[in-house]
Amino acid sequence: AQTVTQSQPEMSVQEAETVTLSCTYDTSENNYYLFWYKQPPSRQMILVIRQEAYKQQNATENRFSVNFQKAAKSFSLKISDSQLGDTAMYFCAFIVGSNYKLTFGKGTLLTVNP
Amino acid sequence: KAGVTQTPRYLIKTRGQQVTLSCSPISGHRSVSWYQQTPGQGLQFLFEYFSETQRNKGNFPGRFSGRQFSNSRSEMNVSTLELGDSALYLCASSLQTSGYSYEQYFGPGTRLTVT
């Protein structure tokens, strides 16, 4: 079975600080893609960052970066210089190329405090 | 480019009724997926369509069905509504071309309440 585990249901961070959200996943496939999505309160789900499993280099998008450890099946998200607008539910997800469906974790509710 | 659009945004139905939700993907995207989001179960995959063909289906009863049209727009239908069908239904579109990384872009969702 393909699963995603986000072990931190809730986290909080002070504005301008750095926070890391954890994610582990399980799949027997070799060809897959990993994502972090952000869902602000009552707003649309937004793609934050993606990582191809065959790439060793960790993906970076502005203040967002990942630490991808393929052997450990770990895919954490680091948010630097946290901003109030980063307050949201963050979902870790992956897709296996052959089945076209995203498998999501339960999410981590991140609150950025002023 | 316009994003994924979903209509209606909010819907209130009574048990036993049926409902149809609509999704228009990003222009040029040929894959449309549907997900159900609830506080208890989280995000669960319903089905995925590409070029009018269902390629994958999640573990939902047969009351949940979908289709995709030649212009890539998609609809999902839920018949004989139950209270447990109350959820946010999300549609996502994907480019799905060779070498693409399968990322999906989500619409704002349809909030369905069954009373």
Side-chain angles (χ1 to χ4, degrees), chain A residues 88-113:
Chain A
M89 184 71 87
Y90 286 81
F91 293 99
C92 176
F94 77 95
I95 190 167
V96 173
S98 60
N99 71 18
Y100 315 109
K101 85 172 196 187
L102 276 167
T103 299
F104 285 90
K106 293 291 188 186
T108 295
L109 179 60
L110 176 67
T111 302
V112 180
N113 299 307

Side-chain angles (χ1 to χ4, degrees), chain B residues 15-17 22 42 46 52 58 94 101 106:
Chain B
R15 270 180 303 176
Q17 288 186 315
S22 181
L46 281 155
E52 302 179 66
S94 179
S101 57
F106 284 81

Side-chain angles (χ1 to χ4, degrees), chain A residues 25 34 51-53 55 58 66-70 74-75:
Chain A
Y25 60 94
L34 296 150
Q51 173 82 43
E52 292 86 346
K55 288 187 178 178
N58 289 323
V66 297
N67 182 4
F68 174 46
Q69 303 289 327
K70 189 172 183 178
S74 170
F75 183 61

Side-chain angles (χ1 to χ4, degrees), chain B residues 68-80:
Chain B
Q68 186 181 34
F69 302 95
S70 59
N71 62 358
S72 295
R73 191 177 69 85
S74 177
E75 289 181 348
M76 68 163 280
N77 184 78
V78 188
S79 62
T80 320

Side-chain angles (χ1 to χ4, degrees), chain A residues 37 39 44 50 99 102, chain B residues 35 37 56 102-104 106:
Chain A
Y37 283 90
Q39 190 177 37
Q44 199 156 330
R50 67 173 178 268
N99 71 18
L102 276 167
Chain B
Y35 297 86
Q37 186 176 23
N56 199 358
Y102 298 95
E103 59 223 50
Q104 298 185 6
F106 284 81

Side-chain angles (χ1 to χ4, degrees), chain B:
Chain B
K1 226 181 223 186
V4 178
T5 58
Q6 293 187 244
T7 56
R9 294 291 310 279
Y10 302 92
L11 209 48
I12 300 175
K13 290 286 189 179
T14 305
R15 270 180 303 176
Q17 288 186 315
Q18 75 165 18
V19 66
T20 299
L21 312 182
S22 181
C23 171
S24 292
I26 293 170
S27 177
H29 285 197
R30 295 168 64 190
S31 167
V32 173
S33 301
W34 289 89
Y35 297 86
Q36 181 196 66
Q37 186 176 23
T38 60
Q41 298 298 315
L43 283 146
Q44 294 187 285
F45 171 77
L46 281 155
F47 23 67
E48 188 263 358
Y49 289 88
F50 180 84
S51 292
E52 302 179 66
T53 300
Q54 185 183 91
R55 296 194 295 188
N56 199 358
K57 187 179 192 308
N59 285 332
F60 280 82
R63 301 185 296 106
F64 291 81
S65 62
R67 59 179 176 168
Q68 186 181 34
F69 302 95
S70 59
N71 62 358
S72 295
R73 191 177 69 85
S74 177
E75 289 181 348
M76 68 163 280
N77 184 78
V78 188
S79 62
T80 320
L81 284 165
E82 300 177 0
L83 294 178
D85 298 332
S86 294
L88 181 66
Y89 289 89
L90 295 170
C91 168
S93 76
S94 179
L95 189 57
Q96 292 278 323
T97 57
S98 176
Y100 201 66
S101 57
Y102 298 95
E103 59 223 50
Q104 298 185 6
Y105 296 90
F106 284 81
T110 294
R111 173 75 62 185
L112 172 64
T113 301
V114 182
T115 62

